Structure formats: structure tokens, C-alpha cells
Amino acid sequence: MKKFVKKLTTVKVSLKSLLKKNLIFTKYKSYKDEPLLLSAALVADLHADGDRYRDRNNKLRYAFASISNAKRKLDALILAGDITNSGHISEYSHVKRFMKKYLNVMSIIPQLGNHDARSCSIYPYFDEATELFDDFCKFCKQEKEKDKNYYYTVVNNCYVIMLATDKLPDDGAFISCEQLEWFENVLTEAEKSQKPIIVVNHQPPLLRNKAKEVFLYDAGERVEEVMLKHSNSDTPIIYISGHMHRMGENTYEKVENIHYINLPALQYGPNEKEEGAYGFLLEIYNKFIVLRARDFEKNKWIDEYLYEIPWVNNMTRRKNFKEKF
């Protein structure tokens, strides 16, 4: 009886909080009246729990409701890995339930993190994990090959490329030669769009975003080499990762035309000590790419983590050239 009352109280508190008016993004900044080409919420390390009434699952409710109440309906929600805590069917079930109830975005784009690849951390089973991830991708209406964990999609003419481990990881991701070849082919295609390219992998390459561990093993240098080859002023690459669960000097790094953004853990806040459900909002305008940190639990912007990246849409460049001459 006590357990039932506790669960009922938790649900009551959650629903009451979700109905608050401050869920709306009240400080929505329009960047110099530029046309908005794409808007996406970026979150990582959700670590959904098997018990739907646990506090960590309440954070998912807060986050999904807050994302859905932006003044503009967002084009996408990008989930940069560790959607679940142990790749269990019950955890995916709760994420799906919360998405159906609270989330309202145009597209949901998930990526396989190391926790999602384990399928129960006690007795890891990679094949079962990938089957559950396949099913989740279908739920999110993302098309991918059944035997591949990596895929890409196009949102508003912008390519979103999801890399993923090819076998059971420890804490890293094993990127095969086959996946690297596929990655280069997709980047070649994406480059023709002359739009910013979004690459998502749960783990950052060694030394990027202050990563001190070799998360991508022997493929890390090759991943960056391929991106450097295909990124330029027309097609800058935004590389989105998570995994390290913190914010600070590791959050943003620029290497030529690659912009590395490492997300804090939605589940644990900015450094696993402070409360909050942190993520980022990505907006692509005609002349800027904007990355802004937001606490989706407290519904406020984190002003010290705002990055404006100059970029000029090639169509705008041609229009300005014609007007000039």
C-alpha cells in the first residue's frame, strides 16, 4: 500500500510540474531576423530506468514536455546515445510511453550509445541490444538497415549522420572499416547540399572536448580525417557527442571547419553533482549556426554556454552577389 501511495504521489507531482506555464521557452531569441533553416534539441545520456516511477524517469517527462513547448515546433530531437541504462526492453518501453504522452517534434533521431549496446549490463548480449535499437528506430520512424547500427537521415535538406559501434563495446565504440567507407560516401553526398552537416556519435575522438580516453580506438583519427576532408565553409560539420556527463571547458571545440559539441548528461546535470536536465538547442540560420545550453528541468537558458558559429547559406551568398553587381 505504501509503495502504491508513493507511486501515486510521484505521478501527481510530475503531472503538476508538467502543467506549469514556465515550460515554454520564454526567452526565444531571433538571430538578426535571419530565416531559420533547422531547429533541433540535442540531448544525451538519458539513462532511462526500468521503473517508470523513478526520479530519473521524471526527468525524461520534464525534458520531453519542455522541448515540446518551445515557441516554435522543433524540427528534430537528436538523442546522442545512452537512451537506456542497460538496453532493457522495459527501459525502451518507458521512453516510448513518455514520448507518446509528452513529446511533440517533427522528427526523433536516436543514436546507439554504449549502455544501449549492452542489453542488460549484467549479461551483455549485443544481438538482442541491436534488435531493441532497431525496434526503437522504427518507433521513431527512422529507416536503417537491420544489421547496421549506423544510418543517416535528412532534415530540411541538412544531413544528420549517426555513427555507432559495430560490436559490443566496453565504454567505447568500434567503428569498422566498412562503416568508415560508408561514412565517407555519405559525407561526399552531403557535401553537395551546401548545408551544415550534423554527425552524431556517443563518444568523442581522443583529445577532442578534453577526452583523455581512447573511446573510438584505432578509428578515431580516421573519423576526423574523413570529416576534415569533406568539411568547408559551405558545409561545416557539427560533431555531437555525450558520454562524459559534464559541462565546462570540454563542451565546445573548433578544428578547422569541424565544431565539436559534447553534451552533458540529461540525467545527471552538468557535472553529476548539480541538479538539472541539461541539453542544447541547435539552430541553423542563413548566416549563423547557434548552439545554446538549456536546463530542461528548470526551464532556463544557460547563458555561459552559447556559441554563435558564422556560416553563410550559399543561396544567400549568390543573392548578395547578384544584388552587388
Side-chain angles (χ1 to χ4, degrees):
M1 183 66 183
K2 289 182 179 178
K3 187 176 181 181
F4 174 77
V5 172
K6 182 181 178 181
K7 288 184 176 181
L8 188 63
T9 303
T10 304
V11 174
K12 185 178 179 181
V13 170
S14 300
L15 291 174
K16 184 178 179 181
S17 300
L18 290 171
L19 290 173
K20 289 181 179 179
K21 292 182 180 180
N22 66 351
L23 285 172
I24 296 175
F25 290 8
T26 53
K27 294 183 180 179
Y28 193 93
K29 181 179 178 183
S30 178
Y31 278 80
K32 301 181 182 179
D33 298 319
E34 288 295 324
L36 180 61
L37 305 181
L38 179 129
S39 60
L42 313 177
V43 296
D45 297 281
L46 286 70
H47 291 279
D49 198 280
D51 183 346
R52 66 181 292 188
Y53 298 103
R54 285 280 297 275
D55 286 343
R56 62 169 53 192
N57 283 342
N58 282 336
K59 285 200 176 188
L60 302 190
R61 294 183 175 97
Y62 282 121
F64 292 159
S66 181
I67 288 166
S68 301
N69 281 283
K71 285 191 175 181
R72 289 189 180 123
K73 186 175 181 178
L74 300 181
D75 297 308
L77 167 62
I78 295 176
L79 305 173
D82 283 3
I83 300 160
T84 65
N85 198 50
S86 55
H88 196 273
I89 190 169
S90 64
E91 296 165 347
Y92 275 116
S93 295
H94 297 323
V95 176
K96 290 177 186 176
R97 182 179 292 110
F98 301 151
M99 283 180 169
K100 284 180 179 177
K101 189 167 186 178
Y102 303 115
L103 192 60
N104 182 25
V105 294
M106 300 295 288
S107 180
I108 304 168
I109 313 171
Q111 191 266 344
L112 184 77
N114 57 298
H115 277 255
D116 306 313
R118 288 172 180 166
S119 185
C120 185
S121 55
I122 302 173
Y123 302 106
Y125 183 39
F126 189 61
D127 290 343
E128 180 180 290
T130 55
E131 286 177 10
L132 290 172
F133 182 67
D134 283 345
D135 180 68
F136 187 68
C137 285
K138 288 177 183 175
F139 171 82
C140 297
K141 298 180 181 178
Q142 295 299 332
E143 295 183 7
K144 60 182 281 296
E145 291 186 51
K146 188 174 182 180
D147 59 338
K148 310 293 184 188
N149 298 317
Y150 51 88
Y151 67 100
Y152 78 92
T153 187
V154 180
V155 181
N156 294 3
N157 296 317
C158 293
Y159 278 69
V160 183
I161 304 171
M162 315 301 278
L163 303 180
T165 188
D166 286 303
K167 62 179 181 179
L168 181 65
D170 36 37
D171 277 336
F174 293 94
I175 309 294
S176 65
C177 293
E178 180 185 358
Q179 184 175 171
L180 281 169
E181 183 179 353
W182 169 88
F183 183 40
E184 183 151 22
N185 290 336
V186 176
L187 281 177
T188 301
E189 181 182 328
E191 201 176 353
K192 297 174 185 176
S193 71
Q194 296 185 322
K195 297 284 195 306
I197 300 168
I198 300 166
V199 176
V200 185
N201 191 52
H202 184 60
Q203 299 90 343
L206 178 64
L207 302 182
R208 299 305 171 212
N209 303 110
K210 308 295 181 183
K212 297 179 181 179
E213 296 180 52
V214 187
F215 294 130
L216 301 187
Y217 307 107
D218 58 350
E221 290 184 9
R222 179 65 177 142
V223 167
E224 181 165 280
E225 180 185 319
V226 170
M227 291 194 294
L228 286 170
K229 182 179 175 181
H230 292 278
S231 59
N232 53 60
S233 58
D234 288 330
T235 56
I237 290 177
I238 312 296
Y239 183 103
I240 299 164
S241 61
H243 191 59
M244 297 196 291
H245 293 192
R246 64 181 189 268
M247 288 179 77
E249 62 178 2
N250 66 296
T251 300
Y252 173 77
E253 181 176 357
K254 180 180 183 294
V255 179
E256 294 187 24
N257 286 298
I258 305 172
H259 303 269
Y260 291 94
I261 181 78
N262 185 258
L263 305 176
L266 180 81
Q267 193 56 245
Y268 303 118
N271 58 18
E272 296 192 340
K273 293 180 180 179
E274 296 178 27
E275 291 295 324
Y278 282 45
F280 269 76
L281 188 70
L282 165 67
E283 295 169 311
I284 298 176
Y285 294 88
N286 265 343
K287 296 182 181 179
F288 297 93
I289 300 169
V290 182
L291 288 157
R292 289 187 283 171
R294 185 169 178 81
D295 184 341
F296 293 113
E297 185 173 26
K298 298 175 183 176
N299 306 298
K300 65 178 184 180
W301 299 109
I302 313 302
D303 294 332
E304 59 264 42
Y305 297 100
L306 188 154
Y307 308 99
E308 267 190 19
I309 302 165
W311 170 78
V312 179
N313 184 353
N314 200 42
M315 294 294 291
T316 302
R317 189 182 289 115
R318 285 201 293 266
K319 180 182 177 182
N320 292 342
F321 181 84
K322 289 178 180 178
E323 289 176 353
K324 186 175 180 180
F325 294 96

